[in-house]
Amino acid sequence: MTLDLLRSAHATLDYEIAQERASAFGRLGRRLEAALAALAECPRTENSDRKIRDALVEQAGYALWLFVVQREACGLNKISQVLRDYGVPNEVYVRMGPLATPSIQPTKTMEVKAASAPMF
């Protein structure tokens, strides 16, 4: 009886961990899509503000890094598939990694989530 209870608890925990992995995977995928869309709205031209574009490339590189790390945690290791599926520009791939100076400001996705989260 006790062994069955332990197996059931372990199965429940495994299920909840899998749910959280999938949820984080989806959330980070949407974040990457949003970062790439913002970058696409600021094309590299003579008139574009280089600082703004650099910041967007940096944010997209960070979002890509977070997404790739989560994929690898789920056992998916082919980054080339991500680069193709999401149409990641080479300048973003080159900047993939943690932010040099983390922003204190929450991202837009975090603001929306925080606004819809119940207050306790």
Side-chain angles (χ1 to χ4, degrees):
M1 179 97 166
T2 304
L3 189 55
D4 288 339
L5 183 61
L6 287 174
R7 284 185 185 148
S8 176
H10 183 67
T12 300
L13 182 59
D14 282 345
Y15 178 76
E16 288 180 12
I17 290 171
Q19 276 187 314
E20 183 53 37
R21 279 185 182 157
S23 176
F25 194 45
R27 204 171 38 251
L28 293 172
R30 288 186 299 277
R31 181 177 183 163
L32 175 58
E33 288 173 343
L36 292 173
L39 180 61
E41 290 179 13
C42 183
R44 188 183 312 149
T45 63
E46 288 181 23
N47 302 348
S48 64
D49 187 347
R50 188 70 189 152
K51 286 183 180 182
I52 292 173
R53 181 152 177 87
D54 283 346
L56 291 171
V57 169
E58 184 180 34
Q59 288 295 320
Y62 180 61
L64 175 62
W65 178 65
L66 292 174
F67 186 70
V68 167
V69 168
Q70 183 64 32
R71 281 184 95 248
E72 289 178 357
C74 293
L76 304 168
N77 298 319
K78 291 190 177 181
I79 190 172
S80 59
Q81 187 71 37
V82 172
L83 300 177
R84 270 193 313 273
D85 290 349
Y86 285 86
V88 176
N90 194 45
E91 66 182 327
V92 172
Y93 176 64
V94 170
R95 296 282 296 271
M96 183 178 88
L99 295 175
T101 53
S103 173
I104 297 173
Q105 300 298 322
T107 62
K108 189 172 188 176
T109 359
M110 294 172 123
E111 290 171 3
V112 171
K113 185 167 180 124
S116 63
M119 301 298 272
F120 293 103

